[in-house]
Amino acid sequence: MTELRDAEQDAGRFRLRVWVVGALVLLAFALIAWRLYVLQVVRYEDLAEQAESNRTAVVPIVPMRGQILDRNGVVLATNYSAYTLEITPSRAIDVDATIEALSAIVDIQPRDKRRFKRLMDESRRFDSLPVRTRLTDEEVARFAAQRWRFPGVEVKARLFRSYPLGEAGSHVIGYIGRINQREKERIEDSDDAANYRGTDYIGKLGVEQSYEAQLHGQTGFELLETSAGGYAVRRLENHPATPGDTVILSIDIKLQKLIEDLYGERRGALVAIDPRNGEVLALVSKPTFDPNLFVDGIDQENWQQLNESINKPLLNRALRGTYPPGSTYKPFMALAALQLGKRDPKLVINDPGFYNFGGRTFRSHEGGLGGVDMTRAIQFSSNTYFYSLAVDMGVNAIHDFMAPLGFGQRTGIDLGGEVRGILPSTEWKRNAYKRADMKKWFPGETVSLGIGQGYNSFTMLQLAVAESVLANDGTRYRPHVAKAVKDQITGTVRPLEEPPGENLHFKEKNLAIVRNALAAVNEAGTGRRVFAGAPYTSAGKTGTAQAMSLGQNVKYNAKLLEEHQRDHSLFAAFAPLEHPRIAVALIVENAGFGAAAAAPIVRRVFDYWLAGQYPSEEDIAAVARGQASVPLGTPRRADEVALPAAQ
């Protein structure tokens, strides 16, 4: 009986095990079936896409960057194709050893290594970085034969930016440079991130930066079938890139280059505007720089020379340099007095050569000018007349009149980096200083404002805009350097829309008084020698502005001062008088009297623009040395003078 019960128990246990095992097997098959369902049905599209991506690759096609042309079609920025040797640090076994081994095949200079190291510091390790650019066909062939030795290294065909005229107009044109980490983050957060896939360079300054959207174009892509090793086997799809638009500027590059030559080695800025529409004809900042240095990534030596130079060649003085306007401010003070009813133009003020106010003596012409009315005060630049006028008007009235003319305001020019300058007022001073005793405006501080000194500090662009308002019957236009964009595919030229001019509602009789006084400056005043024999009528005002304060009753003597401490030379003018087509404002830093250094440059600008005359080489050299008034030698026809290409 005992043995029978044991057999039945064993059989029961066996059947239980069979059921358990069977249930586990069924569960396993159920799980497999469920997994197959998930893979084949639920995740089919996702997995199919992954499988496809394992055998295909989407490669962005970087668009060709648009050209930049001047108003006459001269090419200022273009592109060329060249081979570049690039390393992806994350894929290279040892970057330094790789570069040394590559040096035996391809010529890699120390400056190339320094540039590559700087790019590595600024980029991510999986970015492809150039170690040598502009490879010859022979160098490409040598590397291709030994490519298997260098994982993470490849030769790529790249488009490179070129600036054919070198330094000419560099501050206007700008340059492109490699996208840094901050710019990458900004692009990735923008709506245009997809359009910059594969793009390594972006506009950094000038038109290249301001018109990046038009110049960049639309990125295309290729869908490639790849092997297990990641090499392209065949092209499956091709969507070509759309090249960027050509940007056409209002700048006349021949005039721009002429002005830069007339400055020579001197520092300064000049802005020439068409007062009828706000087109900038020339925007000069001296010294200049060569934008081609930045195309491949500037090396440390050149960067130090540019960045540490006492002359600051990278500073756009026309937009960012602020200076006291000196006597070029006086015509606007006169217009303010007329508009506000502060002074009759026929009122005669005695100019004894000084002006006393609050126990302090302010200097004027040595020996004085005697009795002067408004016209003579402008014509012969009487300081005493305008000292007293500033006191009569007060700082706030001066501020409120000058602001609409553009002084101390951003003009809205289509270039980045413009500064406001300083147009003083009592409110400005309260906000500008922290100490309570410095916040108060003192009456004596108003005196120097009348002659463009004191706290006044403006850009040459602001002065040129104000001068164009005088020339254009009181209507102010927004200055702009770009005229139109040209579609590279259709060839269609589309003018860029500009806001309408703003009428400042000056009385015509008041404008006429100031304009006639400015004409008298060039006919028989401080500009008479420079404009003698000109084939057109012009109006202008010389200016000499202090670069530093000498203190009360200290007589100015340029020979006793360091070069950077000497007075600035300024001139603001427009021509022809009857129907002005050009307005100019310029400064030659630390060059002294305005009629001696600045006015001769304006005379050559007007000769070029209005008479089609290009100065002789002898004359250009004399002006650059500050040793010319009327043109020397025989002028050439402007249309017969060729532009030199960059070296």
PDB file of all heavy atoms in Angstrom, residues 352-385:
ATOM      1  N   PRO A 352      36.704 140.521 -29.398  1.00  0.00           N
ATOM      2  CA  PRO A 352      38.024 141.068 -29.063  1.00  0.00           C
ATOM      3  C   PRO A 352      39.118 140.006 -29.013  1.00  0.00           C
ATOM      4  O   PRO A 352      40.272 140.322 -28.682  1.00  0.00           O
ATOM      5  CB  PRO A 352      37.782 141.668 -27.678  1.00  0.00           C
ATOM      6  CG  PRO A 352      36.743 140.780 -27.066  1.00  0.00           C
ATOM      7  CD  PRO A 352      35.858 140.331 -28.204  1.00  0.00           C
ATOM      8  N   GLY A 353      38.753 138.757 -29.299  1.00  0.00           N
ATOM      9  CA  GLY A 353      39.743 137.686 -29.237  1.00  0.00           C
ATOM     10  C   GLY A 353      39.606 136.823 -28.010  1.00  0.00           C
ATOM     11  O   GLY A 353      40.407 135.906 -27.799  1.00  0.00           O
ATOM     12  N   PHE A 354      38.575 137.106 -27.204  1.00  0.00           N
ATOM     13  CA  PHE A 354      38.347 136.304 -26.001  1.00  0.00           C
ATOM     14  C   PHE A 354      36.898 136.509 -25.562  1.00  0.00           C
ATOM     15  O   PHE A 354      36.179 137.383 -26.074  1.00  0.00           O
ATOM     16  CB  PHE A 354      39.310 136.703 -24.876  1.00  0.00           C
ATOM     17  CG  PHE A 354      39.220 138.143 -24.494  1.00  0.00           C
ATOM     18  CD1 PHE A 354      38.301 138.590 -23.538  1.00  0.00           C
ATOM     19  CD2 PHE A 354      40.036 139.102 -25.101  1.00  0.00           C
ATOM     20  CE1 PHE A 354      38.206 139.931 -23.196  1.00  0.00           C
ATOM     21  CE2 PHE A 354      39.943 140.445 -24.759  1.00  0.00           C
ATOM     22  CZ  PHE A 354      39.028 140.861 -23.804  1.00  0.00           C
ATOM     23  N   TYR A 355      36.500 135.701 -24.578  1.00  0.00           N
ATOM     24  CA  TYR A 355      35.156 135.833 -24.012  1.00  0.00           C
ATOM     25  C   TYR A 355      35.254 135.538 -22.528  1.00  0.00           C
ATOM     26  O   TYR A 355      35.780 134.488 -22.125  1.00  0.00           O
ATOM     27  CB  TYR A 355      34.195 134.850 -24.692  1.00  0.00           C
ATOM     28  CG  TYR A 355      32.775 134.893 -24.164  1.00  0.00           C
ATOM     29  CD1 TYR A 355      31.930 135.941 -24.481  1.00  0.00           C
ATOM     30  CD2 TYR A 355      32.296 133.868 -23.346  1.00  0.00           C
ATOM     31  CE1 TYR A 355      30.617 135.975 -24.012  1.00  0.00           C
ATOM     32  CE2 TYR A 355      30.995 133.892 -22.865  1.00  0.00           C
ATOM     33  CZ  TYR A 355      30.157 134.949 -23.196  1.00  0.00           C
ATOM     34  OH  TYR A 355      28.860 134.984 -22.721  1.00  0.00           O
ATOM     35  N   ASN A 356      34.774 136.453 -21.714  1.00  0.00           N
ATOM     36  CA  ASN A 356      34.824 136.293 -20.268  1.00  0.00           C
ATOM     37  C   ASN A 356      33.465 135.833 -19.748  1.00  0.00           C
ATOM     38  O   ASN A 356      32.425 136.413 -20.091  1.00  0.00           O
ATOM     39  CB  ASN A 356      35.208 137.615 -19.586  1.00  0.00           C
ATOM     40  CG  ASN A 356      36.639 138.008 -19.864  1.00  0.00           C
ATOM     41  OD1 ASN A 356      37.531 137.149 -19.905  1.00  0.00           O
ATOM     42  ND2 ASN A 356      36.876 139.294 -20.056  1.00  0.00           N
ATOM     43  N   PHE A 357      33.496 134.806 -18.912  1.00  0.00           N
ATOM     44  CA  PHE A 357      32.250 134.319 -18.319  1.00  0.00           C
ATOM     45  C   PHE A 357      32.569 133.653 -16.983  1.00  0.00           C
ATOM     46  O   PHE A 357      33.438 132.771 -16.908  1.00  0.00           O
ATOM     47  CB  PHE A 357      31.556 133.320 -19.245  1.00  0.00           C
ATOM     48  CG  PHE A 357      30.226 132.846 -18.728  1.00  0.00           C
ATOM     49  CD1 PHE A 357      29.073 133.583 -18.960  1.00  0.00           C
ATOM     50  CD2 PHE A 357      30.122 131.672 -17.990  1.00  0.00           C
ATOM     51  CE1 PHE A 357      27.842 133.161 -18.485  1.00  0.00           C
ATOM     52  CE2 PHE A 357      28.904 131.237 -17.497  1.00  0.00           C
ATOM     53  CZ  PHE A 357      27.752 131.986 -17.742  1.00  0.00           C
ATOM     54  N   GLY A 358      31.881 134.104 -15.944  1.00  0.00           N
ATOM     55  CA  GLY A 358      32.030 133.492 -14.629  1.00  0.00           C
ATOM     56  C   GLY A 358      33.444 133.533 -14.100  1.00  0.00           C
ATOM     57  O   GLY A 358      33.890 132.582 -13.427  1.00  0.00           O
ATOM     58  N   GLY A 359      34.179 134.600 -14.423  1.00  0.00           N
ATOM     59  CA  GLY A 359      35.537 134.721 -13.929  1.00  0.00           C
ATOM     60  C   GLY A 359      36.557 133.925 -14.730  1.00  0.00           C
ATOM     61  O   GLY A 359      37.727 133.853 -14.351  1.00  0.00           O
ATOM     62  N   ARG A 360      36.125 133.365 -15.842  1.00  0.00           N
ATOM     63  CA  ARG A 360      37.050 132.592 -16.675  1.00  0.00           C
ATOM     64  C   ARG A 360      37.112 133.202 -18.066  1.00  0.00           C
ATOM     65  O   ARG A 360      36.102 133.701 -18.580  1.00  0.00           O
ATOM     66  CB  ARG A 360      36.591 131.137 -16.760  1.00  0.00           C
ATOM     67  CG  ARG A 360      37.488 130.263 -17.621  1.00  0.00           C
ATOM     68  CD  ARG A 360      36.994 128.844 -17.681  1.00  0.00           C
ATOM     69  NE  ARG A 360      37.773 128.046 -18.616  1.00  0.00           N
ATOM     70  CZ  ARG A 360      37.513 126.795 -18.943  1.00  0.00           C
ATOM     71  NH1 ARG A 360      36.461 126.173 -18.400  1.00  0.00           N
ATOM     72  NH2 ARG A 360      38.278 126.142 -19.799  1.00  0.00           N
ATOM     73  N   THR A 361      38.286 133.150 -18.690  1.00  0.00           N
ATOM     74  CA  THR A 361      38.479 133.683 -20.033  1.00  0.00           C
ATOM     75  C   THR A 361      38.557 132.533 -21.033  1.00  0.00           C
ATOM     76  O   THR A 361      39.383 131.624 -20.881  1.00  0.00           O
ATOM     77  CB  THR A 361      39.763 134.528 -20.116  1.00  0.00           C
ATOM     78  OG1 THR A 361      39.656 135.634 -19.209  1.00  0.00           O
ATOM     79  CG2 THR A 361      39.967 135.058 -21.525  1.00  0.00           C
ATOM     80  N   PHE A 362      37.705 132.606 -22.036  1.00  0.00           N
ATOM     81  CA  PHE A 362      37.700 131.610 -23.106  1.00  0.00           C
ATOM     82  C   PHE A 362      38.342 132.234 -24.344  1.00  0.00           C
ATOM     83  O   PHE A 362      37.952 133.329 -24.776  1.00  0.00           O
ATOM     84  CB  PHE A 362      36.267 131.171 -23.422  1.00  0.00           C
ATOM     85  CG  PHE A 362      35.583 130.463 -22.279  1.00  0.00           C
ATOM     86  CD1 PHE A 362      34.976 131.180 -21.259  1.00  0.00           C
ATOM     87  CD2 PHE A 362      35.562 129.074 -22.226  1.00  0.00           C
ATOM     88  CE1 PHE A 362      34.353 130.529 -20.200  1.00  0.00           C
ATOM     89  CE2 PHE A 362      34.946 128.410 -21.177  1.00  0.00           C
ATOM     90  CZ  PHE A 362      34.342 129.142 -20.157  1.00  0.00           C
ATOM     91  N   ARG A 363      39.296 131.553 -24.929  1.00  0.00           N
ATOM     92  CA  ARG A 363      40.075 132.145 -26.017  1.00  0.00           C
ATOM     93  C   ARG A 363      39.337 132.088 -27.351  1.00  0.00           C
ATOM     94  O   ARG A 363      38.530 131.200 -27.607  1.00  0.00           O
ATOM     95  CB  ARG A 363      41.438 131.446 -26.151  1.00  0.00           C
ATOM     96  CG  ARG A 363      41.378 129.982 -26.545  1.00  0.00           C
ATOM     97  CD  ARG A 363      42.776 129.373 -26.522  1.00  0.00           C
ATOM     98  NE  ARG A 363      42.765 127.948 -26.865  1.00  0.00           N
ATOM     99  CZ  ARG A 363      42.899 127.476 -28.099  1.00  0.00           C
ATOM    100  NH1 ARG A 363      43.058 128.309 -29.109  1.00  0.00           N
ATOM    101  NH2 ARG A 363      42.897 126.169 -28.321  1.00  0.00           N
ATOM    102  N   SER A 364      39.672 133.049 -28.206  1.00  0.00           N
ATOM    103  CA  SER A 364      39.158 133.105 -29.574  1.00  0.00           C
ATOM    104  C   SER A 364      40.328 133.473 -30.478  1.00  0.00           C
ATOM    105  O   SER A 364      41.477 133.145 -30.147  1.00  0.00           O
ATOM    106  CB  SER A 364      38.020 134.129 -29.669  1.00  0.00           C
ATOM    107  OG  SER A 364      37.439 134.121 -30.955  1.00  0.00           O
ATOM    108  N   HIS A 365      40.070 134.139 -31.599  1.00  0.00           N
ATOM    109  CA  HIS A 365      41.155 134.527 -32.494  1.00  0.00           C
ATOM    110  C   HIS A 365      42.111 135.492 -31.804  1.00  0.00           C
ATOM    111  O   HIS A 365      41.669 136.410 -31.097  1.00  0.00           O
ATOM    112  CB  HIS A 365      40.597 135.203 -33.753  1.00  0.00           C
ATOM    113  CG  HIS A 365      39.859 134.262 -34.652  1.00  0.00           C
ATOM    114  ND1 HIS A 365      38.583 133.827 -34.388  1.00  0.00           N
ATOM    115  CD2 HIS A 365      40.229 133.661 -35.808  1.00  0.00           C
ATOM    116  CE1 HIS A 365      38.183 133.012 -35.341  1.00  0.00           C
ATOM    117  NE2 HIS A 365      39.168 132.883 -36.211  1.00  0.00           N
ATOM    118  N   GLU A 366      43.384 135.295 -32.023  1.00  0.00           N
ATOM    119  CA  GLU A 366      44.371 136.205 -31.443  1.00  0.00           C
ATOM    120  C   GLU A 366      44.200 137.580 -32.074  1.00  0.00           C
ATOM    121  O   GLU A 366      44.221 137.727 -33.298  1.00  0.00           O
ATOM    122  CB  GLU A 366      45.790 135.681 -31.691  1.00  0.00           C
ATOM    123  CG  GLU A 366      46.836 136.466 -30.930  1.00  0.00           C
ATOM    124  CD  GLU A 366      48.198 135.794 -30.965  1.00  0.00           C
ATOM    125  OE1 GLU A 366      48.284 134.622 -31.386  1.00  0.00           O
ATOM    126  OE2 GLU A 366      49.177 136.441 -30.569  1.00  0.00           O
ATOM    127  N   GLY A 367      43.996 138.582 -31.260  1.00  0.00           N
ATOM    128  CA  GLY A 367      43.766 139.941 -31.766  1.00  0.00           C
ATOM    129  C   GLY A 367      42.314 140.235 -32.036  1.00  0.00           C
ATOM    130  O   GLY A 367      41.918 141.393 -32.162  1.00  0.00           O
ATOM    131  N   GLY A 368      41.473 139.177 -32.165  1.00  0.00           N
ATOM    132  CA  GLY A 368      40.046 139.363 -32.358  1.00  0.00           C
ATOM    133  C   GLY A 368      39.669 139.673 -33.795  1.00  0.00           C
ATOM    134  O   GLY A 368      40.507 139.992 -34.645  1.00  0.00           O
ATOM    135  N   LEU A 369      38.377 139.592 -34.073  1.00  0.00           N
ATOM    136  CA  LEU A 369      37.837 139.866 -35.409  1.00  0.00           C
ATOM    137  C   LEU A 369      37.058 141.169 -35.453  1.00  0.00           C
ATOM    138  O   LEU A 369      36.566 141.567 -36.513  1.00  0.00           O
ATOM    139  CB  LEU A 369      36.915 138.714 -35.845  1.00  0.00           C
ATOM    140  CG  LEU A 369      37.580 137.355 -36.081  1.00  0.00           C
ATOM    141  CD1 LEU A 369      36.515 136.287 -36.299  1.00  0.00           C
ATOM    142  CD2 LEU A 369      38.512 137.419 -37.280  1.00  0.00           C
ATOM    143  N   GLY A 370      36.895 141.799 -34.302  1.00  0.00           N
ATOM    144  CA  GLY A 370      36.102 143.026 -34.265  1.00  0.00           C
ATOM    145  C   GLY A 370      34.620 142.699 -34.323  1.00  0.00           C
ATOM    146  O   GLY A 370      34.168 141.649 -33.853  1.00  0.00           O
ATOM    147  N   GLY A 371      33.849 143.582 -34.922  1.00  0.00           N
ATOM    148  CA  GLY A 371      32.411 143.380 -34.999  1.00  0.00           C
ATOM    149  C   GLY A 371      32.045 142.331 -36.046  1.00  0.00           C
ATOM    150  O   GLY A 371      32.483 142.410 -37.199  1.00  0.00           O
ATOM    151  N   VAL A 372      31.264 141.338 -35.662  1.00  0.00           N
ATOM    152  CA  VAL A 372      30.848 140.284 -36.602  1.00  0.00           C
ATOM    153  C   VAL A 372      29.349 140.035 -36.452  1.00  0.00           C
ATOM    154  O   VAL A 372      28.818 139.992 -35.344  1.00  0.00           O
ATOM    155  CB  VAL A 372      31.610 138.958 -36.360  1.00  0.00           C
ATOM    156  CG1 VAL A 372      33.077 139.103 -36.705  1.00  0.00           C
ATOM    157  CG2 VAL A 372      31.449 138.478 -34.926  1.00  0.00           C
ATOM    158  N   ASP A 373      28.665 139.890 -37.597  1.00  0.00           N
ATOM    159  CA  ASP A 373      27.287 139.417 -37.575  1.00  0.00           C
ATOM    160  C   ASP A 373      27.311 137.904 -37.771  1.00  0.00           C
ATOM    161  O   ASP A 373      28.385 137.279 -37.766  1.00  0.00           O
ATOM    162  CB  ASP A 373      26.449 140.123 -38.643  1.00  0.00           C
ATOM    163  CG  ASP A 373      26.971 139.880 -40.061  1.00  0.00           C
ATOM    164  OD1 ASP A 373      27.922 139.066 -40.238  1.00  0.00           O
ATOM    165  OD2 ASP A 373      26.423 140.497 -40.992  1.00  0.00           O
ATOM    166  N   MET A 374      26.159 137.283 -37.955  1.00  0.00           N
ATOM    167  CA  MET A 374      26.114 135.818 -38.036  1.00  0.00           C
ATOM    168  C   MET A 374      26.898 135.284 -39.236  1.00  0.00           C
ATOM    169  O   MET A 374      27.644 134.298 -39.109  1.00  0.00           O
ATOM    170  CB  MET A 374      24.664 135.338 -38.107  1.00  0.00           C
ATOM    171  CG  MET A 374      24.508 133.823 -38.111  1.00  0.00           C
ATOM    172  SD  MET A 374      22.796 133.288 -38.041  1.00  0.00           S
ATOM    173  CE  MET A 374      22.396 133.625 -36.312  1.00  0.00           C
ATOM    174  N   THR A 375      26.758 135.935 -40.386  1.00  0.00           N
ATOM    175  CA  THR A 375      27.457 135.454 -41.584  1.00  0.00           C
ATOM    176  C   THR A 375      28.963 135.526 -41.403  1.00  0.00           C
ATOM    177  O   THR A 375      29.689 134.563 -41.686  1.00  0.00           O
ATOM    178  CB  THR A 375      27.033 136.269 -42.816  1.00  0.00           C
ATOM    179  OG1 THR A 375      25.638 136.058 -43.055  1.00  0.00           O
ATOM    180  CG2 THR A 375      27.819 135.848 -44.049  1.00  0.00           C
ATOM    181  N   ARG A 376      29.482 136.680 -40.939  1.00  0.00           N
ATOM    182  CA  ARG A 376      30.928 136.824 -40.737  1.00  0.00           C
ATOM    183  C   ARG A 376      31.422 135.911 -39.621  1.00  0.00           C
ATOM    184  O   ARG A 376      32.546 135.417 -39.666  1.00  0.00           O
ATOM    185  CB  ARG A 376      31.271 138.285 -40.425  1.00  0.00           C
ATOM    186  CG  ARG A 376      31.349 139.182 -41.656  1.00  0.00           C
ATOM    187  CD  ARG A 376      31.703 140.609 -41.271  1.00  0.00           C
ATOM    188  NE  ARG A 376      32.914 140.682 -40.449  1.00  0.00           N
ATOM    189  CZ  ARG A 376      34.155 140.670 -40.933  1.00  0.00           C
ATOM    190  NH1 ARG A 376      34.351 140.549 -42.243  1.00  0.00           N
ATOM    191  NH2 ARG A 376      35.186 140.770 -40.123  1.00  0.00           N
ATOM    192  N   ALA A 377      30.569 135.670 -38.623  1.00  0.00           N
ATOM    193  CA  ALA A 377      30.967 134.791 -37.523  1.00  0.00           C
ATOM    194  C   ALA A 377      31.202 133.368 -38.027  1.00  0.00           C
ATOM    195  O   ALA A 377      32.117 132.669 -37.564  1.00  0.00           O
ATOM    196  CB  ALA A 377      29.901 134.798 -36.440  1.00  0.00           C
ATOM    197  N   ILE A 378      30.377 132.931 -38.980  1.00  0.00           N
ATOM    198  CA  ILE A 378      30.576 131.610 -39.585  1.00  0.00           C
ATOM    199  C   ILE A 378      31.743 131.650 -40.560  1.00  0.00           C
ATOM    200  O   ILE A 378      32.613 130.764 -40.565  1.00  0.00           O
ATOM    201  CB  ILE A 378      29.290 131.144 -40.287  1.00  0.00           C
ATOM    202  CG1 ILE A 378      28.177 130.898 -39.265  1.00  0.00           C
ATOM    203  CG2 ILE A 378      29.548 129.874 -41.097  1.00  0.00           C
ATOM    204  CD1 ILE A 378      26.826 130.568 -39.885  1.00  0.00           C
ATOM    205  N   GLN A 379      31.781 132.679 -41.395  1.00  0.00           N
ATOM    206  CA  GLN A 379      32.798 132.779 -42.443  1.00  0.00           C
ATOM    207  C   GLN A 379      34.210 132.780 -41.870  1.00  0.00           C
ATOM    208  O   GLN A 379      35.094 132.108 -42.395  1.00  0.00           O
ATOM    209  CB  GLN A 379      32.559 134.045 -43.260  1.00  0.00           C
ATOM    210  CG  GLN A 379      33.540 134.246 -44.409  1.00  0.00           C
ATOM    211  CD  GLN A 379      33.254 135.523 -45.180  1.00  0.00           C
ATOM    212  OE1 GLN A 379      32.375 136.306 -44.814  1.00  0.00           O
ATOM    213  NE2 GLN A 379      34.003 135.756 -46.249  1.00  0.00           N
ATOM    214  N   PHE A 380      34.413 133.513 -40.790  1.00  0.00           N
ATOM    215  CA  PHE A 380      35.756 133.630 -40.211  1.00  0.00           C
ATOM    216  C   PHE A 380      35.874 132.895 -38.872  1.00  0.00           C
ATOM    217  O   PHE A 380      36.866 133.032 -38.174  1.00  0.00           O
ATOM    218  CB  PHE A 380      36.134 135.104 -40.056  1.00  0.00           C
ATOM    219  CG  PHE A 380      36.217 135.823 -41.370  1.00  0.00           C
ATOM    220  CD1 PHE A 380      35.207 136.693 -41.767  1.00  0.00           C
ATOM    221  CD2 PHE A 380      37.275 135.602 -42.234  1.00  0.00           C
ATOM    222  CE1 PHE A 380      35.267 137.350 -42.989  1.00  0.00           C
ATOM    223  CE2 PHE A 380      37.344 136.251 -43.459  1.00  0.00           C
ATOM    224  CZ  PHE A 380      36.331 137.125 -43.849  1.00  0.00           C
ATOM    225  N   SER A 381      34.828 132.135 -38.522  1.00  0.00           N
ATOM    226  CA  SER A 381      34.849 131.227 -37.384  1.00  0.00           C
ATOM    227  C   SER A 381      35.127 131.934 -36.066  1.00  0.00           C
ATOM    228  O   SER A 381      36.097 131.608 -35.354  1.00  0.00           O
ATOM    229  CB  SER A 381      35.875 130.114 -37.619  1.00  0.00           C
ATOM    230  OG  SER A 381      35.584 128.982 -36.822  1.00  0.00           O
ATOM    231  N   SER A 382      34.271 132.882 -35.713  1.00  0.00           N
ATOM    232  CA  SER A 382      34.426 133.622 -34.461  1.00  0.00           C
ATOM    233  C   SER A 382      33.989 132.769 -33.276  1.00  0.00           C
ATOM    234  O   SER A 382      32.810 132.415 -33.151  1.00  0.00           O
ATOM    235  CB  SER A 382      33.590 134.910 -34.507  1.00  0.00           C
ATOM    236  OG  SER A 382      33.514 135.492 -33.228  1.00  0.00           O
ATOM    237  N   ASN A 383      34.901 132.482 -32.395  1.00  0.00           N
ATOM    238  CA  ASN A 383      34.552 131.744 -31.181  1.00  0.00           C
ATOM    239  C   ASN A 383      33.708 132.598 -30.239  1.00  0.00           C
ATOM    240  O   ASN A 383      32.741 132.117 -29.634  1.00  0.00           O
ATOM    241  CB  ASN A 383      35.817 131.285 -30.456  1.00  0.00           C
ATOM    242  CG  ASN A 383      36.467 130.097 -31.134  1.00  0.00           C
ATOM    243  OD1 ASN A 383      35.928 129.531 -32.070  1.00  0.00           O
ATOM    244  ND2 ASN A 383      37.639 129.731 -30.653  1.00  0.00           N
ATOM    245  N   THR A 384      34.082 133.863 -30.095  1.00  0.00           N
ATOM    246  CA  THR A 384      33.383 134.740 -29.163  1.00  0.00           C
ATOM    247  C   THR A 384      31.896 134.815 -29.482  1.00  0.00           C
ATOM    248  O   THR A 384      31.046 134.772 -28.577  1.00  0.00           O
ATOM    249  CB  THR A 384      34.000 136.151 -29.204  1.00  0.00           C
ATOM    250  OG1 THR A 384      35.369 136.076 -28.793  1.00  0.00           O
ATOM    251  CG2 THR A 384      33.248 137.100 -28.291  1.00  0.00           C
ATOM    252  N   TYR A 385      31.551 134.936 -30.756  1.00  0.00           N
ATOM    253  CA  TYR A 385      30.144 135.015 -31.177  1.00  0.00           C
ATOM    254  C   TYR A 385      29.374 133.792 -30.689  1.00  0.00           C
ATOM    255  O   TYR A 385      28.267 133.913 -30.156  1.00  0.00           O
ATOM    256  CB  TYR A 385      30.079 135.128 -32.697  1.00  0.00           C
ATOM    257  CG  TYR A 385      28.686 135.316 -33.245  1.00  0.00           C
ATOM    258  CD1 TYR A 385      28.190 136.583 -33.532  1.00  0.00           C
ATOM    259  CD2 TYR A 385      27.859 134.219 -33.489  1.00  0.00           C
ATOM    260  CE1 TYR A 385      26.907 136.762 -34.044  1.00  0.00           C
ATOM    261  CE2 TYR A 385      26.576 134.379 -33.990  1.00  0.00           C
ATOM    262  CZ  TYR A 385      26.113 135.652 -34.269  1.00  0.00           C
ATOM    263  OH  TYR A 385      24.837 135.820 -34.771  1.00  0.00           O
TER     264      TYR A 385
END
